[in-house]
Amino acid sequence: MMQQPAAGAVPPQMAPPPPMAQQQYQYQQPPPPPQSQQPYMAMNLMHPQSQPPPVWPLHQVPAGVPPQQQQPGQPASADEVRTLWIGDLQYYMDENYLLSCFSQTGEVASVKVIRNKQTGQMEGYGFIEFVSRAAAERVLQTYNGTPLPSGESTYRLNWASFSSGEKRDETPEFTIFVGDLAADVTDYMLQETFRACFPSVKGAKVVIDRLTGRSKGYGFVKFGDEAEQNRAMTEMNGVLCSTRPMRIGAASTKKTVPAQQFAKEQCVEMLIIFGPGADFS
DNA sequence: TATGAGCGG
C-alpha cells in the first residue's frame, strides 16, 4: 500500500517548470497582484456574474495550449485518481489564479478553491483535477516545492485524499524551527538556503500573519533525512539568510515524528476502539 | 514578535 511516486523521476515530456522557477530569489516582497491587472485574468474566463463559479469546467480551460496527448496505456478512466490537493494558498489565489498556474500543462480539468461557508473567505487550500492520473502525477513531481508565479511561496501539492485513500505522501519528514528571519525571507529563499547544503530538504515554510500578510519572522524547514536535520541544527545556526543570521531550534510538538510515532498512535487508537482486552492474534 | 500544520462535493 505504501506506493510512493518515484521521487525525482520527471517525465521528459513534461511542460517547462512553473513560470518563476528561473528567478531564483525575489528579494523584494512581491505585492499580491491587484485584481485589475492580473495576467491570469487575460483568459476570457470572466464569468458574467460577480461571483465566479466554484469549478471551472473543462471546456472553459484557456485555449492557449493544446492538451497533451493522453499517455498510451494510461487512458483517463472514471475511477482513476487524478486530483491534487494544494495548500499554502494566499488569500488572493482564487480559481483563476490556480488555473493560470497550471494552464500551460493543458491538462487541467477543473479547479476549486475552498471557501468558508459562512464568511466566504478562502481557506487557503483547494483541489486541482487533471484530465488523467498521469498528468496529475507529472504536475506533482515537477511543481511541488517550486515557487509560485508570485514568488512569495512555493507550491504545496499532494494527492487529494478523499478520493485517493492511500495516495497521500506519508514519507517521513524531520522538521526544524528557524527563527530571527528577516522580513523579506520567502518560503523559497529559506528552502534554497538549506538545500544548498542539505539535499534532503523537502520544503520550507515562513509563517505569515494572515491578517497583515507579513512574515512573523520564523518558519520551518522539513528534511527527508534525519541525519541532515541534526546536522543543520548546528551547522546552520547563525548562518545568514537574506540580511539576518538565522536562529535554529527544534520544532516542537507532534507530526515531526513519523513512522514509529504513527504506528504508536495507531495502537493507541486501537486500544480506544477495541479496549485493552482485545485479541488481535 | 518566536512553534505551521487547513482535504471538498
Side-chain angles (χ1 to χ4, degrees):
Chain A
M1 61 188 225
M2 263 300 195
Q3 63 170 171
Q4 302 295 346
V10 179
Q13 75 275 22
M14 184 63 202
M20 289 300 288
Q22 319 86 315
Q23 304 185 18
Q24 288 288 300
Y25 300 115
Q26 269 222 324
Y27 282 98
Q28 72 280 32
Q29 193 82 312
Q35 290 290 333
S36 52
Q37 55 175 53
Q38 292 160 2
Y40 56 83
M41 299 298 268
M43 299 190 298
N44 290 335
L45 279 172
M46 292 310 294
H47 199 262
Q49 284 138 26
S50 54
Q51 287 282 15
V55 174
W56 295 105
L58 178 57
H59 68 268
Q60 288 189 1
V61 167
V65 185
Q68 293 185 2
Q69 292 293 325
Q70 279 293 324
Q71 296 304 301
Q74 301 181 342
S77 66
D79 59 341
E80 137 183 287
V81 176
R82 48 188 196 242
T83 301
L84 297 182
W85 176 90
I86 183 166
D88 284 353
L89 299 178
Q90 309 292 318
Y91 68 94
Y92 63 90
M93 296 174 176
D94 60 4
E95 280 83 1
N96 265 335
Y97 183 88
L98 288 186
L99 201 44
S100 75
C101 291
F102 300 104
S103 62
Q104 60 181 269
T105 68
E107 297 180 301
V108 175
S110 69
V111 177
K112 182 177 185 182
V113 168
I114 302 306
R115 292 175 171 79
N116 183 295
K117 282 201 173 74
Q118 270 82 45
T119 67
Q121 192 188 22
M122 289 192 286
E123 298 276 16
Y125 70 94
F127 298 89
I128 306 147
E129 185 194 358
F130 292 86
V131 296
S132 69
R133 177 183 166 75
E137 175 101 48
R138 278 195 294 276
V139 166
L140 181 61
Q141 296 297 338
T142 39
Y143 282 63
N144 206 11
T146 65
L148 274 83
S150 60
E152 62 203 299
S153 59
T154 51
Y155 286 100
R156 184 157 159 239
L157 295 163
N158 206 335
W159 291 105
S161 63
F162 179 75
S163 50
S164 66
E166 307 291 325
K167 292 300 188 306
R168 284 175 75 174
D169 185 354
E170 287 172 358
T171 48
E173 41 195 48
F174 306 89
T175 306
I176 62 172
F177 171 87
V178 184
D180 244 358
L181 293 175
D184 65 333
V185 173
T186 63
D187 292 355
Y188 192 60
M189 285 167 58
L190 188 60
Q191 170 184 290
E192 296 305 302
T193 300
F194 280 82
R195 185 169 282 165
C197 310
F198 305 100
S200 85
V201 166
K202 292 175 77 176
K205 170 120 179 83
V206 175
V207 178
I208 302 292
D209 187 309
R210 269 197 99 164
L211 294 176
T212 66
R214 290 166 169 256
S215 165
K216 287 187 164 181
Y218 65 90
F220 300 87
V221 180
K222 290 186 304 187
F223 300 79
D225 179 69
E226 192 172 15
E228 289 197 356
Q229 175 206 34
N230 290 326
R231 213 151 53 74
M233 297 268 288
T234 55
E235 292 180 16
M236 296 299 278
N237 198 35
V239 169
L240 213 60
C241 182
S242 180
T243 56
R244 288 165 67 169
M246 297 177 287
R247 186 148 77 195
I248 310 238
S252 55
T253 71
K254 51 182 182 180
K255 297 275 159 109
T256 316
V257 208
Q260 282 186 351
Q261 179 72 22
F262 182 72
K264 194 169 149 191
E265 284 165 4
Q266 297 282 294
C267 289
V268 171
E269 199 169 317
M270 300 281 270
L271 264 178
I272 293 168
I273 295 171
F274 296 106
D279 179 11
F280 296 109
S281 60

